[in-house]
Amino acid sequence: MCNYIVVSGGVISGVGKGVTTASIGKILKEYGYKVTAVKIDPYINYDAGTLRPTEHGEVWVTDDGGEIDQDLGNYERFLDEDIPKKNCLTTGQIYKTVIDKERGGEYLGKTVQFIPHITDEIKKRIKDAADNFDFCLVEIGGTIGDFENIPFLFAVKSLEREIGKKNLIHVLVTYLPTPPHIQEMKTKPTQQAIRMLSENGIFPDFIICRSKKALDNVRKKKIETYVNIGAEHVISEPDIDTIYRIPLDLEKENFGLKILKKFDLKPKKKPDFEEWGRLVDKIVNPAKKIKIAIVGKYINIGDYELTDSYLSINEALKHSGAGLDVGIEIKWIDSKIFEKDKNELKILKNYRGIIIPGGFGSSGVEGKIMAIEFARKNDIPFLGLCYGLQLAVIEFARNVCGMEGANTTEVDERVKYPVIDILPTQKKLMEENRYGATMRLGEYAAILKDDSQVLRLYEETNRLKEDNERLSELKKDDGQSFRLGILENKKIILERHRHRYEVNPEYISKIEEKGLVFSGYHIRKDKQKLMEFIELPNHKFFIGTQGHPEFKSRLTKPAPLFYGFVKACCK
Ligand code: GLN
């Protein structure tokens, strides 16, 4: 039977409940256990696909095509496991399922109610995700006291009753503020969070105290008496230099062994944090530092910049930096400044490399194209991600192939040279307004060209080999076989996607004639080829991908293209 660790948050949101959950998972995995994690999002949206990233952070994409809350990204990065979309539950999904069942007559005339029907559906989904694992972490989004949390708290309470207290524990991640005008760390909000949790019949087994500085004994004691748990169950988690240090810090308090003891379990193996610890040190104290620019459309909420919308790119750069012993300072540049004044482009000379991230719509597009042209002409390393690839193709078509005004039909439907377009099969679905169905979502196989730079990078980072092991797994799953398409007997890799438009097949040979290499492609079951990678020979580094390699990057396994890009930036 699976053991459950339910993680909820107190006081305020944004204190790092997600990375704490991920860190607990990492620790238990190090002790030799099979671990997975579930995220509960109490909003009504069915998934994160329609959420604006500036409001809710990045949309995370899973292998099986889920558009999910970014916390799942942290789980994957820390656990080094691919987590499927079913591991993200929203209120919208739960209610939709229950109402669909009711309409289908499945409740046989019964009154359908919050308890037990909604809570049963929640429990069913949690248990389903936990199947075949030793531990399942369940993170409840939001903060204790939110109305929207209540169904989920009821459900985990009911799960606890069903499987027994010895198979489920509660962890409360809370925050202890130190108001600047009194300079004293306050426990009161935490006490209130504990009280609110107990109103739902839930008593935390561990309290993780987030704060600016480590908790002193006076405050530990206060919390201990208030909750009536042993001091060893109050864990201090002060602010740190990098999130990747959290598992190491929690282990300093023997958190892993304490959790195992609660479940009456013993370590299955001796944990080995050496490699992880070495990389954490490289993140914090790299041998050298470089600056790179990410040119996108931005990202201001009131007075705050929300770089969370590109979280995975940040993390992927960190992973590659740690592997190469270089610290990367990222500067976010709003592409619109180039549209207003061309002279601004020269600021790009101050950076060792330029990334154009994914995006949608027409805003800021011309500025991004200008930045790509600047990178190409000045031999500055360039990495284009999804929209970044598409815009690089547009730039090349316009400025090298003489296709004046070339564009994507996403920006200009009647353009003379639609080098990026919706393919005919997708157009049909669009006309029927089935937008979701027109997206290419999740993992797809790409065939890499012999002798390409891209192939070399996938070989150098060992990903080619790993992806081939995964490929044989994927072949067994009939329902997912469309992700493979037609596999020629060649070098295959797998990356995640989230886009609607493609390089227009009609222009490929004209563009290739002028020197841009399409170094990888997917072949759909209907034999349609979709371009996956571009590269320019004779350039320090000029590579674009239709996928989102940032989603598969892990601290111990940097994504090949990011690795190659950072390496080129260092030269
Ligand atoms: N807007 C482009 C498309 O839909 C690119 C999407 C992206 O960058 N994720 O094809």
Side-chain angles (χ1 to χ4, degrees), residues 463-496:
R463 261 292 290 282
L464 189 68
K465 190 168 153 271
E466 275 177 32
D467 283 6
N468 277 286
E469 283 160 17
R470 175 143 176 81
L471 207 61
S472 23
E473 238 175 82
L474 215 54
K475 278 182 188 158
K476 291 182 216 146
D477 188 346
D478 274 348
Q480 298 288 307
S481 71
F482 66 97
R483 302 197 178 281
L484 305 178
I486 298 172
L487 297 173
E488 292 172 337
N489 201 8
K490 288 213 174 124
K491 307 276 165 65
I492 315 276
I493 58 96
L494 297 156
E495 291 289 5
R496 296 182 193 170

PDB file of all heavy atoms in Angstrom, residues 463-496:
ATOM      1  N   ARG A 463      21.666  12.229 -23.834  1.00  0.00           N
ATOM      2  CA  ARG A 463      20.215  12.209 -23.980  1.00  0.00           C
ATOM      3  C   ARG A 463      19.749  11.277 -25.094  1.00  0.00           C
ATOM      4  O   ARG A 463      18.679  10.657 -25.001  1.00  0.00           O
ATOM      5  CB  ARG A 463      19.702  13.624 -24.244  1.00  0.00           C
ATOM      6  CG  ARG A 463      19.164  14.307 -23.002  1.00  0.00           C
ATOM      7  CD  ARG A 463      17.887  13.699 -22.458  1.00  0.00           C
ATOM      8  NE  ARG A 463      16.761  13.961 -23.320  1.00  0.00           N
ATOM      9  CZ  ARG A 463      16.125  15.116 -23.349  1.00  0.00           C
ATOM     10  NH1 ARG A 463      16.462  16.079 -22.539  1.00  0.00           N
ATOM     11  NH2 ARG A 463      15.123  15.304 -24.189  1.00  0.00           N
ATOM     12  N   LEU A 464      20.557  11.173 -26.145  1.00  0.00           N
ATOM     13  CA  LEU A 464      20.171  10.307 -27.250  1.00  0.00           C
ATOM     14  C   LEU A 464      19.931   8.891 -26.722  1.00  0.00           C
ATOM     15  O   LEU A 464      18.920   8.254 -27.003  1.00  0.00           O
ATOM     16  CB  LEU A 464      21.275  10.298 -28.313  1.00  0.00           C
ATOM     17  CG  LEU A 464      20.915   9.603 -29.607  1.00  0.00           C
ATOM     18  CD1 LEU A 464      19.859  10.381 -30.362  1.00  0.00           C
ATOM     19  CD2 LEU A 464      22.141   9.415 -30.484  1.00  0.00           C
ATOM     20  N   LYS A 465      20.844   8.443 -25.876  1.00  0.00           N
ATOM     21  CA  LYS A 465      20.759   7.090 -25.326  1.00  0.00           C
ATOM     22  C   LYS A 465      19.525   6.982 -24.413  1.00  0.00           C
ATOM     23  O   LYS A 465      18.721   6.069 -24.550  1.00  0.00           O
ATOM     24  CB  LYS A 465      22.038   6.800 -24.539  1.00  0.00           C
ATOM     25  CG  LYS A 465      22.188   5.371 -24.132  1.00  0.00           C
ATOM     26  CD  LYS A 465      23.603   5.093 -23.606  1.00  0.00           C
ATOM     27  CE  LYS A 465      23.575   3.950 -22.641  1.00  0.00           C
ATOM     28  NZ  LYS A 465      23.336   4.363 -21.244  1.00  0.00           N
ATOM     29  N   GLU A 466      19.390   7.945 -23.510  1.00  0.00           N
ATOM     30  CA  GLU A 466      18.252   7.912 -22.573  1.00  0.00           C
ATOM     31  C   GLU A 466      16.914   7.961 -23.305  1.00  0.00           C
ATOM     32  O   GLU A 466      15.981   7.249 -22.954  1.00  0.00           O
ATOM     33  CB  GLU A 466      18.314   9.116 -21.638  1.00  0.00           C
ATOM     34  CG  GLU A 466      19.195   8.894 -20.447  1.00  0.00           C
ATOM     35  CD  GLU A 466      19.265  10.149 -19.605  1.00  0.00           C
ATOM     36  OE1 GLU A 466      18.278  10.902 -19.556  1.00  0.00           O
ATOM     37  OE2 GLU A 466      20.329  10.390 -19.021  1.00  0.00           O
ATOM     38  N   ASP A 467      16.831   8.828 -24.306  1.00  0.00           N
ATOM     39  CA  ASP A 467      15.564   8.966 -25.027  1.00  0.00           C
ATOM     40  C   ASP A 467      15.229   7.677 -25.763  1.00  0.00           C
ATOM     41  O   ASP A 467      14.063   7.344 -25.951  1.00  0.00           O
ATOM     42  CB  ASP A 467      15.625  10.142 -25.998  1.00  0.00           C
ATOM     43  CG  ASP A 467      15.464  11.480 -25.263  1.00  0.00           C
ATOM     44  OD1 ASP A 467      15.422  11.452 -24.018  1.00  0.00           O
ATOM     45  OD2 ASP A 467      15.383  12.525 -25.914  1.00  0.00           O
ATOM     46  N   ASN A 468      16.270   6.942 -26.178  1.00  0.00           N
ATOM     47  CA  ASN A 468      15.987   5.692 -26.870  1.00  0.00           C
ATOM     48  C   ASN A 468      15.461   4.623 -25.932  1.00  0.00           C
ATOM     49  O   ASN A 468      14.630   3.809 -26.324  1.00  0.00           O
ATOM     50  CB  ASN A 468      17.203   5.233 -27.657  1.00  0.00           C
ATOM     51  CG  ASN A 468      17.233   5.963 -28.980  1.00  0.00           C
ATOM     52  OD1 ASN A 468      16.446   5.646 -29.870  1.00  0.00           O
ATOM     53  ND2 ASN A 468      18.053   6.982 -29.084  1.00  0.00           N
ATOM     54  N   GLU A 469      15.915   4.679 -24.677  1.00  0.00           N
ATOM     55  CA  GLU A 469      15.343   3.751 -23.702  1.00  0.00           C
ATOM     56  C   GLU A 469      13.869   4.089 -23.482  1.00  0.00           C
ATOM     57  O   GLU A 469      13.013   3.232 -23.419  1.00  0.00           O
ATOM     58  CB  GLU A 469      16.111   3.852 -22.375  1.00  0.00           C
ATOM     59  CG  GLU A 469      17.448   3.136 -22.446  1.00  0.00           C
ATOM     60  CD  GLU A 469      18.433   3.604 -21.385  1.00  0.00           C
ATOM     61  OE1 GLU A 469      18.003   4.250 -20.398  1.00  0.00           O
ATOM     62  OE2 GLU A 469      19.641   3.339 -21.552  1.00  0.00           O
ATOM     63  N   ARG A 470      13.602   5.371 -23.391  1.00  0.00           N
ATOM     64  CA  ARG A 470      12.230   5.826 -23.180  1.00  0.00           C
ATOM     65  C   ARG A 470      11.355   5.491 -24.387  1.00  0.00           C
ATOM     66  O   ARG A 470      10.177   5.163 -24.256  1.00  0.00           O
ATOM     67  CB  ARG A 470      12.264   7.328 -22.906  1.00  0.00           C
ATOM     68  CG  ARG A 470      10.946   7.931 -22.786  1.00  0.00           C
ATOM     69  CD  ARG A 470      10.787   9.004 -21.779  1.00  0.00           C
ATOM     70  NE  ARG A 470       9.428   9.507 -21.918  1.00  0.00           N
ATOM     71  CZ  ARG A 470       8.380   8.921 -21.399  1.00  0.00           C
ATOM     72  NH1 ARG A 470       8.513   7.860 -20.636  1.00  0.00           N
ATOM     73  NH2 ARG A 470       7.168   9.398 -21.599  1.00  0.00           N
ATOM     74  N   LEU A 471      11.956   5.580 -25.555  1.00  0.00           N
ATOM     75  CA  LEU A 471      11.254   5.287 -26.798  1.00  0.00           C
ATOM     76  C   LEU A 471      10.686   3.868 -26.791  1.00  0.00           C
ATOM     77  O   LEU A 471       9.539   3.641 -27.178  1.00  0.00           O
ATOM     78  CB  LEU A 471      12.252   5.432 -27.949  1.00  0.00           C
ATOM     79  CG  LEU A 471      11.736   5.787 -29.317  1.00  0.00           C
ATOM     80  CD1 LEU A 471      11.050   7.127 -29.300  1.00  0.00           C
ATOM     81  CD2 LEU A 471      12.906   5.840 -30.316  1.00  0.00           C
ATOM     82  N   SER A 472      11.473   2.933 -26.298  1.00  0.00           N
ATOM     83  CA  SER A 472      10.976   1.548 -26.304  1.00  0.00           C
ATOM     84  C   SER A 472       9.796   1.414 -25.343  1.00  0.00           C
ATOM     85  O   SER A 472       8.885   0.626 -25.584  1.00  0.00           O
ATOM     86  CB  SER A 472      12.091   0.552 -25.970  1.00  0.00           C
ATOM     87  OG  SER A 472      13.115   1.137 -25.263  1.00  0.00           O
ATOM     88  N   GLU A 473       9.813   2.201 -24.281  1.00  0.00           N
ATOM     89  CA  GLU A 473       8.672   2.203 -23.354  1.00  0.00           C
ATOM     90  C   GLU A 473       7.425   2.747 -24.045  1.00  0.00           C
ATOM     91  O   GLU A 473       6.335   2.197 -23.939  1.00  0.00           O
ATOM     92  CB  GLU A 473       8.995   3.150 -22.201  1.00  0.00           C
ATOM     93  CG  GLU A 473       8.974   2.547 -20.810  1.00  0.00           C
ATOM     94  CD  GLU A 473       9.433   3.614 -19.840  1.00  0.00           C
ATOM     95  OE1 GLU A 473       8.594   4.451 -19.467  1.00  0.00           O
ATOM     96  OE2 GLU A 473      10.636   3.627 -19.505  1.00  0.00           O
ATOM     97  N   LEU A 474       7.631   3.857 -24.743  1.00  0.00           N
ATOM     98  CA  LEU A 474       6.522   4.550 -25.406  1.00  0.00           C
ATOM     99  C   LEU A 474       5.903   3.675 -26.495  1.00  0.00           C
ATOM    100  O   LEU A 474       4.700   3.725 -26.744  1.00  0.00           O
ATOM    101  CB  LEU A 474       7.058   5.850 -26.012  1.00  0.00           C
ATOM    102  CG  LEU A 474       6.152   7.072 -26.031  1.00  0.00           C
ATOM    103  CD1 LEU A 474       5.617   7.398 -24.661  1.00  0.00           C
ATOM    104  CD2 LEU A 474       6.905   8.271 -26.585  1.00  0.00           C
ATOM    105  N   LYS A 475       6.740   2.850 -27.128  1.00  0.00           N
ATOM    106  CA  LYS A 475       6.255   1.977 -28.200  1.00  0.00           C
ATOM    107  C   LYS A 475       5.220   0.985 -27.684  1.00  0.00           C
ATOM    108  O   LYS A 475       4.357   0.535 -28.423  1.00  0.00           O
ATOM    109  CB  LYS A 475       7.426   1.219 -28.835  1.00  0.00           C
ATOM    110  CG  LYS A 475       8.171   2.036 -29.867  1.00  0.00           C
ATOM    111  CD  LYS A 475       9.287   1.201 -30.480  1.00  0.00           C
ATOM    112  CE  LYS A 475      10.167   2.054 -31.375  1.00  0.00           C
ATOM    113  NZ  LYS A 475      11.489   1.498 -31.572  1.00  0.00           N
ATOM    114  N   LYS A 476       5.338   0.667 -26.378  1.00  0.00           N
ATOM    115  CA  LYS A 476       4.412  -0.324 -25.807  1.00  0.00           C
ATOM    116  C   LYS A 476       3.023   0.272 -25.584  1.00  0.00           C
ATOM    117  O   LYS A 476       2.051  -0.446 -25.413  1.00  0.00           O
ATOM    118  CB  LYS A 476       4.964  -0.818 -24.463  1.00  0.00           C
ATOM    119  CG  LYS A 476       6.209  -1.666 -24.599  1.00  0.00           C
ATOM    120  CD  LYS A 476       6.639  -2.151 -23.208  1.00  0.00           C
ATOM    121  CE  LYS A 476       8.148  -2.215 -23.081  1.00  0.00           C
ATOM    122  NZ  LYS A 476       8.646  -1.894 -21.747  1.00  0.00           N
ATOM    123  N   ASP A 477       2.940   1.598 -25.543  1.00  0.00           N
ATOM    124  CA  ASP A 477       1.688   2.256 -25.196  1.00  0.00           C
ATOM    125  C   ASP A 477       0.947   2.701 -26.460  1.00  0.00           C
ATOM    126  O   ASP A 477       1.242   3.736 -27.042  1.00  0.00           O
ATOM    127  CB  ASP A 477       2.026   3.473 -24.307  1.00  0.00           C
ATOM    128  CG  ASP A 477       0.772   4.116 -23.737  1.00  0.00           C
ATOM    129  OD1 ASP A 477      -0.339   3.801 -24.225  1.00  0.00           O
ATOM    130  OD2 ASP A 477       0.911   4.932 -22.814  1.00  0.00           O
ATOM    131  N   ASP A 478      -0.038   1.883 -26.863  1.00  0.00           N
ATOM    132  CA  ASP A 478      -0.758   2.170 -28.105  1.00  0.00           C
ATOM    133  C   ASP A 478      -1.381   3.556 -28.127  1.00  0.00           C
ATOM    134  O   ASP A 478      -1.346   4.251 -29.134  1.00  0.00           O
ATOM    135  CB  ASP A 478      -1.871   1.132 -28.317  1.00  0.00           C
ATOM    136  CG  ASP A 478      -1.321  -0.093 -29.021  1.00  0.00           C
ATOM    137  OD1 ASP A 478      -0.175   0.006 -29.512  1.00  0.00           O
ATOM    138  OD2 ASP A 478      -2.019  -1.118 -29.056  1.00  0.00           O
ATOM    139  N   GLY A 479      -1.947   3.949 -26.989  1.00  0.00           N
ATOM    140  CA  GLY A 479      -2.645   5.223 -26.902  1.00  0.00           C
ATOM    141  C   GLY A 479      -1.740   6.414 -27.157  1.00  0.00           C
ATOM    142  O   GLY A 479      -2.198   7.500 -27.503  1.00  0.00           O
ATOM    143  N   GLN A 480      -0.445   6.224 -26.949  1.00  0.00           N
ATOM    144  CA  GLN A 480       0.496   7.340 -27.116  1.00  0.00           C
ATOM    145  C   GLN A 480       1.332   7.204 -28.389  1.00  0.00           C
ATOM    146  O   GLN A 480       2.246   7.995 -28.606  1.00  0.00           O
ATOM    147  CB  GLN A 480       1.427   7.411 -25.890  1.00  0.00           C
ATOM    148  CG  GLN A 480       0.729   7.685 -24.570  1.00  0.00           C
ATOM    149  CD  GLN A 480       0.242   9.133 -24.473  1.00  0.00           C
ATOM    150  OE1 GLN A 480       0.988  10.073 -24.670  1.00  0.00           O
ATOM    151  NE2 GLN A 480      -1.043   9.300 -24.188  1.00  0.00           N
ATOM    152  N   SER A 481       1.024   6.227 -29.222  1.00  0.00           N
ATOM    153  CA  SER A 481       1.924   5.940 -30.353  1.00  0.00           C
ATOM    154  C   SER A 481       1.952   7.083 -31.370  1.00  0.00           C
ATOM    155  O   SER A 481       2.909   7.222 -32.127  1.00  0.00           O
ATOM    156  CB  SER A 481       1.548   4.627 -31.024  1.00  0.00           C
ATOM    157  OG  SER A 481       0.336   4.800 -31.712  1.00  0.00           O
ATOM    158  N   PHE A 482       0.905   7.945 -31.367  1.00  0.00           N
ATOM    159  CA  PHE A 482       0.925   9.088 -32.293  1.00  0.00           C
ATOM    160  C   PHE A 482       2.099  10.019 -31.993  1.00  0.00           C
ATOM    161  O   PHE A 482       2.540  10.773 -32.843  1.00  0.00           O
ATOM    162  CB  PHE A 482      -0.394   9.866 -32.230  1.00  0.00           C
ATOM    163  CG  PHE A 482      -0.640  10.548 -30.898  1.00  0.00           C
ATOM    164  CD1 PHE A 482      -0.325  11.891 -30.737  1.00  0.00           C
ATOM    165  CD2 PHE A 482      -1.161   9.856 -29.824  1.00  0.00           C
ATOM    166  CE1 PHE A 482      -0.538  12.534 -29.518  1.00  0.00           C
ATOM    167  CE2 PHE A 482      -1.377  10.490 -28.603  1.00  0.00           C
ATOM    168  CZ  PHE A 482      -1.068  11.821 -28.452  1.00  0.00           C
ATOM    169  N   ARG A 483       2.624   9.949 -30.767  1.00  0.00           N
ATOM    170  CA  ARG A 483       3.762  10.808 -30.393  1.00  0.00           C
ATOM    171  C   ARG A 483       5.047  10.409 -31.131  1.00  0.00           C
ATOM    172  O   ARG A 483       5.952  11.197 -31.270  1.00  0.00           O
ATOM    173  CB  ARG A 483       4.019  10.750 -28.899  1.00  0.00           C
ATOM    174  CG  ARG A 483       2.826  11.161 -28.094  1.00  0.00           C
ATOM    175  CD  ARG A 483       3.166  11.497 -26.670  1.00  0.00           C
ATOM    176  NE  ARG A 483       1.950  11.914 -26.003  1.00  0.00           N
ATOM    177  CZ  ARG A 483       1.415  13.119 -26.128  1.00  0.00           C
ATOM    178  NH1 ARG A 483       2.024  14.037 -26.852  1.00  0.00           N
ATOM    179  NH2 ARG A 483       0.274  13.408 -25.534  1.00  0.00           N
ATOM    180  N   LEU A 484       5.089   9.148 -31.543  1.00  0.00           N
ATOM    181  CA  LEU A 484       6.278   8.673 -32.238  1.00  0.00           C
ATOM    182  C   LEU A 484       6.211   8.981 -33.718  1.00  0.00           C
ATOM    183  O   LEU A 484       7.216   9.256 -34.343  1.00  0.00           O
ATOM    184  CB  LEU A 484       6.435   7.165 -32.034  1.00  0.00           C
ATOM    185  CG  LEU A 484       6.465   6.719 -30.568  1.00  0.00           C
ATOM    186  CD1 LEU A 484       6.569   5.209 -30.486  1.00  0.00           C
ATOM    187  CD2 LEU A 484       7.635   7.361 -29.855  1.00  0.00           C
ATOM    188  N   GLY A 485       4.991   8.946 -34.265  1.00  0.00           N
ATOM    189  CA  GLY A 485       4.842   9.152 -35.697  1.00  0.00           C
ATOM    190  C   GLY A 485       5.527   8.026 -36.440  1.00  0.00           C
ATOM    191  O   GLY A 485       5.577   6.895 -35.967  1.00  0.00           O
ATOM    192  N   ILE A 486       6.066   8.333 -37.617  1.00  0.00           N
ATOM    193  CA  ILE A 486       6.782   7.313 -38.370  1.00  0.00           C
ATOM    194  C   ILE A 486       8.260   7.442 -38.012  1.00  0.00           C
ATOM    195  O   ILE A 486       8.848   8.514 -38.141  1.00  0.00           O
ATOM    196  CB  ILE A 486       6.568   7.501 -39.884  1.00  0.00           C
ATOM    197  CG1 ILE A 486       5.062   7.336 -40.187  1.00  0.00           C
ATOM    198  CG2 ILE A 486       7.400   6.490 -40.675  1.00  0.00           C
ATOM    199  CD1 ILE A 486       4.672   7.683 -41.601  1.00  0.00           C
ATOM    200  N   LEU A 487       8.827   6.362 -37.536  1.00  0.00           N
ATOM    201  CA  LEU A 487      10.223   6.416 -37.119  1.00  0.00           C
ATOM    202  C   LEU A 487      11.088   5.818 -38.215  1.00  0.00           C
ATOM    203  O   LEU A 487      10.978   4.637 -38.518  1.00  0.00           O
ATOM    204  CB  LEU A 487      10.422   5.625 -35.826  1.00  0.00           C
ATOM    205  CG  LEU A 487       9.673   6.148 -34.602  1.00  0.00           C
ATOM    206  CD1 LEU A 487       9.826   5.177 -33.446  1.00  0.00           C
ATOM    207  CD2 LEU A 487      10.178   7.518 -34.190  1.00  0.00           C
ATOM    208  N   GLU A 488      11.903   6.657 -38.825  1.00  0.00           N
ATOM    209  CA  GLU A 488      12.861   6.090 -39.758  1.00  0.00           C
ATOM    210  C   GLU A 488      13.947   5.474 -38.895  1.00  0.00           C
ATOM    211  O   GLU A 488      14.095   5.821 -37.738  1.00  0.00           O
ATOM    212  CB  GLU A 488      13.452   7.196 -40.644  1.00  0.00           C
ATOM    213  CG  GLU A 488      12.435   7.773 -41.594  1.00  0.00           C
ATOM    214  CD  GLU A 488      12.974   8.990 -42.324  1.00  0.00           C
ATOM    215  OE1 GLU A 488      13.912   9.621 -41.818  1.00  0.00           O
ATOM    216  OE2 GLU A 488      12.432   9.297 -43.390  1.00  0.00           O
ATOM    217  N   ASN A 489      14.698   4.601 -39.469  1.00  0.00           N
ATOM    218  CA  ASN A 489      15.697   3.912 -38.671  1.00  0.00           C
ATOM    219  C   ASN A 489      16.887   4.834 -38.403  1.00  0.00           C
ATOM    220  O   ASN A 489      17.973   4.645 -38.919  1.00  0.00           O
ATOM    221  CB  ASN A 489      16.128   2.652 -39.426  1.00  0.00           C
ATOM    222  CG  ASN A 489      16.737   1.659 -38.477  1.00  0.00           C
ATOM    223  OD1 ASN A 489      16.693   1.867 -37.260  1.00  0.00           O
ATOM    224  ND2 ASN A 489      17.321   0.618 -39.005  1.00  0.00           N
ATOM    225  N   LYS A 490      16.632   5.906 -37.616  1.00  0.00           N
ATOM    226  CA  LYS A 490      17.680   6.922 -37.455  1.00  0.00           C
ATOM    227  C   LYS A 490      17.818   7.332 -36.000  1.00  0.00           C
ATOM    228  O   LYS A 490      17.314   6.677 -35.114  1.00  0.00           O
ATOM    229  CB  LYS A 490      17.304   8.131 -38.313  1.00  0.00           C
ATOM    230  CG  LYS A 490      17.459   7.874 -39.801  1.00  0.00           C
ATOM    231  CD  LYS A 490      17.878   9.148 -40.501  1.00  0.00           C
ATOM    232  CE  LYS A 490      18.170   8.875 -41.962  1.00  0.00           C
ATOM    233  NZ  LYS A 490      17.369   9.713 -42.845  1.00  0.00           N
ATOM    234  N   LYS A 491      18.509   8.446 -35.774  1.00  0.00           N
ATOM    235  CA  LYS A 491      18.721   8.940 -34.415  1.00  0.00           C
ATOM    236  C   LYS A 491      17.481   9.704 -33.940  1.00  0.00           C
ATOM    237  O   LYS A 491      17.121  10.718 -34.538  1.00  0.00           O
ATOM    238  CB  LYS A 491      19.949   9.866 -34.387  1.00  0.00           C
ATOM    239  CG  LYS A 491      21.210   9.249 -34.979  1.00  0.00           C
ATOM    240  CD  LYS A 491      21.912   8.410 -33.935  1.00  0.00           C
ATOM    241  CE  LYS A 491      22.970   7.466 -34.497  1.00  0.00           C
ATOM    242  NZ  LYS A 491      24.121   8.074 -35.114  1.00  0.00           N
ATOM    243  N   ILE A 492      16.862   9.199 -32.877  1.00  0.00           N
ATOM    244  CA  ILE A 492      15.589   9.780 -32.424  1.00  0.00           C
ATOM    245  C   ILE A 492      15.733  10.388 -31.028  1.00  0.00           C
ATOM    246  O   ILE A 492      16.331   9.772 -30.141  1.00  0.00           O
ATOM    247  CB  ILE A 492      14.495   8.687 -32.314  1.00  0.00           C
ATOM    248  CG1 ILE A 492      14.496   7.773 -33.534  1.00  0.00           C
ATOM    249  CG2 ILE A 492      13.126   9.292 -32.028  1.00  0.00           C
ATOM    250  CD1 ILE A 492      13.753   8.259 -34.705  1.00  0.00           C
ATOM    251  N   ILE A 493      15.126  11.541 -30.837  1.00  0.00           N
ATOM    252  CA  ILE A 493      15.053  12.118 -29.479  1.00  0.00           C
ATOM    253  C   ILE A 493      13.601  12.520 -29.182  1.00  0.00           C
ATOM    254  O   ILE A 493      12.754  12.538 -30.082  1.00  0.00           O
ATOM    255  CB  ILE A 493      15.984  13.342 -29.310  1.00  0.00           C
ATOM    256  CG1 ILE A 493      15.650  14.444 -30.313  1.00  0.00           C
ATOM    257  CG2 ILE A 493      17.449  12.936 -29.469  1.00  0.00           C
ATOM    258  CD1 ILE A 493      14.769  15.508 -29.800  1.00  0.00           C
ATOM    259  N   LEU A 494      13.333  12.834 -27.914  1.00  0.00           N
ATOM    260  CA  LEU A 494      11.967  13.195 -27.510  1.00  0.00           C
ATOM    261  C   LEU A 494      11.975  14.532 -26.775  1.00  0.00           C
ATOM    262  O   LEU A 494      12.759  14.725 -25.846  1.00  0.00           O
ATOM    263  CB  LEU A 494      11.414  12.128 -26.563  1.00  0.00           C
ATOM    264  CG  LEU A 494      11.244  10.722 -27.138  1.00  0.00           C
ATOM    265  CD1 LEU A 494      11.263   9.679 -26.020  1.00  0.00           C
ATOM    266  CD2 LEU A 494       9.947  10.635 -27.920  1.00  0.00           C
ATOM    267  N   GLU A 495      11.132  15.452 -27.194  1.00  0.00           N
ATOM    268  CA  GLU A 495      10.983  16.709 -26.465  1.00  0.00           C
ATOM    269  C   GLU A 495       9.502  17.080 -26.371  1.00  0.00           C
ATOM    270  O   GLU A 495       8.690  16.635 -27.186  1.00  0.00           O
ATOM    271  CB  GLU A 495      11.740  17.862 -27.143  1.00  0.00           C
ATOM    272  CG  GLU A 495      13.259  17.760 -27.089  1.00  0.00           C
ATOM    273  CD  GLU A 495      13.876  17.996 -25.699  1.00  0.00           C
ATOM    274  OE1 GLU A 495      13.143  18.156 -24.695  1.00  0.00           O
ATOM    275  OE2 GLU A 495      15.126  18.006 -25.634  1.00  0.00           O
ATOM    276  N   ARG A 496       9.188  17.925 -25.381  1.00  0.00           N
ATOM    277  CA  ARG A 496       7.786  18.332 -25.200  1.00  0.00           C
ATOM    278  C   ARG A 496       7.440  19.552 -26.062  1.00  0.00           C
ATOM    279  O   ARG A 496       8.308  20.374 -26.332  1.00  0.00           O
ATOM    280  CB  ARG A 496       7.546  18.647 -23.717  1.00  0.00           C
ATOM    281  CG  ARG A 496       7.732  17.397 -22.889  1.00  0.00           C
ATOM    282  CD  ARG A 496       7.453  17.634 -21.425  1.00  0.00           C
ATOM    283  NE  ARG A 496       7.948  16.494 -20.673  1.00  0.00           N
ATOM    284  CZ  ARG A 496       8.035  16.468 -19.357  1.00  0.00           C
ATOM    285  NH1 ARG A 496       7.654  17.507 -18.646  1.00  0.00           N
ATOM    286  NH2 ARG A 496       8.492  15.387 -18.744  1.00  0.00           N
TER     287      ARG A 496
END
